[in-house]
Amino acid sequence: MTTLREYLDSAGCEPALSDLIVLISAQAAPIRDAFISNQSYAGTENSSGEEQAALDVWSDEHITKILEDSGLVKELASEEKPDILKFPGATENYAVVMDPLDGSSLIQVNLCVGTIVGIYDNGDALSKGEDLRAAMYMLYGPMTVLTITVGKGVFTFAMDETGEYRMLDGPVKMPEGKIYGSGGLNKDWTEKHRNFIESIEKEGGKLRYSGSFVADFHQILKYGGVYCYPATIDNNTGKLRLAFEANPIGFIAKQAGGAISDGHTSLLEIKPEKPHHKTPIYVGSSGLIKRLEEIYRE
Ligand SMILES: O=P(O)(O)OC[C@H]1O[C@](O)(COP(=O)(O)O)[C@@H](O)[C@@H]1O
Ligand SMILES: [Mg+2]
Ligand SMILES: [Mg+2]
């Protein structure tokens, strides 16, 4: 089975980018090992005002040190840091955006969580998602699975017993499907959001919502459908962040033939105003995203 490095070389990745991708994806192993000693909450909040899990903080600090020591990264924007961190000694121009641990509420119940990473080669972490050079996520499930695109389709890899990533599938094409998941309390949904969800339910859509964006998206990548974290009647920005979550996942979705939207436009075309820019998010099969935008235009 093709290794990650073999794939990256075959995809024509510049050596420094391959090194960076291999380095980041390898951190899945120490992060998984850290679960057992980081089950609690850290007693602190991140810039989104969310209580930080100990593993949020551990993963953020771990990956940050790895990136700083690599000399490959000029700046880093992380969900767990208030501001963009700059590494003046970097020899390359990569900017990294990351959600070091996505699905934090599931750590204590041993359900699937992940790490989301986007890489820009223009040195600017607040770029539009469409300008990403690479996007990836590690999903900590029964296997450790890496999903990645370097702009030439989406490929998945599983970590083997030696710590090497072996190709599972690719290029992955997201089918039209009927799996749907939505954040926000049902009582707080807007009429348009409710209309969209009901249109899927009427067709026999299946509810799949775990509390982990990465895990829920991974199902949609395979089976088709849509993940939603919408604006609600009392919160018009939604919960998820444009830079760390929407952009890398949306770039992967688009590379697999899917789409990402706030109901009006592709999120990949929106420049983040600040690192913690929040946005309503719908990501999934292109037919469903098209229907969504039609409902929002009514
Ligand atoms: O608990 P809620 O409000 O349904 O939100 C769940 C969503 O929040 C998130 O956990 C936010 O991500 P973080 O865990 O990285 O903060 C998503 O992974 C998930 O889809
Ligand atoms: Mg997250
Ligand atoms: Mg997180």
Side-chain angles (χ1 to χ4, degrees):
M1 293 165 89
T2 306
T3 67
L4 176 58
R5 174 78 72 173
E6 286 166 350
Y7 165 69
L8 294 172
D9 291 347
S10 72
C13 263
E14 53 277 26
L17 179 63
S18 296
D19 291 347
L20 182 55
I21 289 168
V22 167
L23 180 66
I24 293 172
S25 57
Q27 303 321 308
I31 288 172
R32 286 197 81 128
D33 291 344
F35 272 73
I36 193 166
S37 51
N38 288 277
Q39 285 292 300
S40 62
Y41 279 90
T44 50
E45 280 191 355
N46 65 17
S47 304
S48 297
E50 294 163 341
E51 192 181 9
Q52 288 178 305
L55 196 60
D56 283 329
V57 176
W58 191 95
S59 304
D60 179 56
E61 291 173 353
H62 175 80
I63 298 174
T64 299
K65 174 131 181 46
I66 293 288
L67 295 181
E68 183 169 23
D69 293 351
S70 75
L72 295 171
V73 175
K74 187 177 175 192
E75 62 179 48
L76 166 65
S78 168
E79 180 183 287
E80 302 308 333
K81 293 184 193 319
D83 301 306
I84 292 173
L85 193 57
K86 299 197 188 278
F87 300 127
T91 57
E92 297 290 340
N93 203 33
Y94 294 114
V96 171
V97 294
M98 74 169 177
D99 177 354
L101 205 292
D102 175 73
S104 307
S105 66
L106 303 183
I107 293 164
Q108 293 189 348
V109 291
N110 196 39
L111 289 178
C112 290
V113 296
T115 297
I116 305 171
V117 176
I119 301 172
Y120 294 96
D121 60 5
N122 61 7
D124 178 5
L126 289 188
S127 300
K128 294 178 183 177
E130 64 190 5
D131 295 330
L132 278 163
R133 174 70 185 84
M136 57 202 268
Y137 60 83
M138 290 92 91
L139 180 57
Y140 311 123
M143 297 194 296
T144 297
V145 169
L146 170 73
T147 299
I148 183 161
T149 181
V150 293
K152 295 185 176 171
V154 176
F155 291 79
T156 58
F157 297 80
M159 188 179 278
D160 71 14
E161 67 285 358
T162 70
E164 183 80 70
Y165 280 106
R166 301 274 175 186
M167 187 179 287
L168 282 179
D169 192 8
V172 177
K173 292 295 171 206
M174 184 190 294
E176 287 301 327
K178 295 179 182 172
I179 284 178
Y180 74 95
S182 177
L185 299 179
N186 188 305
K187 70 178 181 62
D188 297 335
W189 287 357
T190 64
E191 187 187 350
K192 289 190 185 290
H193 180 67
R194 194 178 302 281
N195 290 348
F196 176 59
I197 295 296
E198 286 174 356
S199 76
I200 300 170
E201 289 173 331
K202 279 190 197 117
E203 293 169 341
K206 272 191 174 183
L207 175 58
R208 289 285 186 273
Y209 185 78
S210 74
S212 166
F213 178 33
V214 175
D216 293 344
F217 173 76
H218 197 62
Q219 269 196 86
I220 286 159
L221 179 66
K222 174 80 178 174
Y223 298 131
V226 65
Y227 169 97
C228 319
Y229 211 107
T232 53
I233 51 177
D234 58 345
N235 172 4
N236 63 8
T237 62
K239 175 181 184 181
L240 298 194
R241 280 67 37 150
L242 179 59
F244 319 121
E245 293 161 309
N247 279 341
I249 297 291
F251 190 77
I252 290 169
K254 188 111 186 311
Q255 281 284 314
I260 186 167
S261 175
D262 58 3
H264 307 286
T265 183
S266 167
L267 290 179
L268 298 177
E269 297 169 4
I270 298 176
K271 182 169 173 23
E273 296 158 7
K274 56 186 179 181
H276 296 268
H277 177 149
K278 287 188 180 180
T279 177
I281 178 172
Y282 294 83
V283 59
S285 303
S286 54
L288 282 175
I289 300 300
K290 186 167 176 288
R291 179 193 308 177
L292 169 86
E293 292 182 345
E294 286 163 0
I295 290 173
Y296 269 80
R297 273 197 293 274
E298 284 166 359

